[in-house]
Amino acid sequence: MFSTGSRLRSAAADTFALVVYCFVIGMLIEIVISGMTFQQSLSSRLVSIPVNILIAWPYGVYRDAFIRVAQRHAGEHFWAKNLADLLAYVTFQSPVYAMILWSVGADIEQITTAVASNALVSMAMGVAYGYFLEYCRRLFRVAGYV
């Protein structure tokens, strides 16, 4: 239907990856670490779906730029890619996440705890998301990931 170089195919892969990953990981952080109720977390995750749909492709482009800069300065070392994934994830997702939590009625303490926890956990989450995103791009047969 769409060529492997299609922007629509790339956007679909990035959107699928971000929606699925953020729903699962966000709910775990909100309930287990931040002390939000299941209802608050579910509300937050449902609000996050349209937000993630809007930001998924721009985030994918943003993340790819971080990867290119890291590879230009450090070569193909896995640590450079992992560090780029981590930095891209934290700097892009944290402000978005704080706004989502605020919009569903989380208080300042819950927002601060959730965003700070997310930033700390992002040391693994950002890297894990990078691998998940690349896996989804391969599933969607996006050019460069086939």
Side-chain angles (χ1 to χ4, degrees), residues 44-125:
S44 168
R45 296 299 89 212
L46 293 175
V47 167
S48 76
I49 290 172
V51 172
N52 286 333
I53 289 170
L54 290 174
I55 68 168
W57 192 43
Y59 173 72
V61 171
Y62 181 80
R63 178 229 178 225
D64 291 347
F66 269 72
I67 300 292
R68 280 191 303 277
V69 168
Q71 288 176 337
R72 192 171 348 164
H73 293 290
E76 292 293 323
H77 296 291
F78 79 95
W79 63 267
K81 180 187 167 299
N82 290 348
L83 181 61
D85 268 329
L86 182 150
L87 292 173
Y89 194 85
V90 172
T91 60
F92 193 95
Q93 299 295 350
S94 293
V96 173
Y97 185 43
M99 288 186 282
I100 290 170
L101 294 175
W102 176 76
S103 76
V104 298
D107 62 41
I108 275 298
E109 185 178 325
Q110 289 172 322
I111 293 170
T112 303
T113 303
V115 171
S117 299
N118 189 5
L120 287 174
V121 173
S122 288
M123 292 181 186
M125 278 179 41

Side-chain angles (χ1 to χ4, degrees), residues 18-49 52 89 97 100-101 104 114 117-118 121 125:
L18 192 63
V19 168
V20 170
Y21 189 82
C22 288
F23 192 93
V24 172
I25 298 301
M27 189 166 256
L28 286 171
I29 288 171
E30 291 166 358
I31 293 172
V32 175
I33 298 173
S34 300
M36 293 172 67
T37 66
F38 178 80
Q39 184 61 38
Q40 283 177 311
S41 182
L42 184 59
S43 295
S44 168
R45 296 299 89 212
L46 293 175
V47 167
S48 76
I49 290 172
N52 286 333
Y89 194 85
Y97 185 43
I100 290 170
L101 294 175
V104 298
S117 299
N118 189 5
V121 173
M125 278 179 41

Side-chain angles (χ1 to χ4, degrees), residues 1-10 140-143 146:
M1 183 169 156
F2 300 105
S3 70
T4 59
S6 163
R7 287 184 181 168
L8 189 55
R9 182 184 295 258
S10 180
F140 280 72
R141 294 186 177 96
V142 173
V146 179

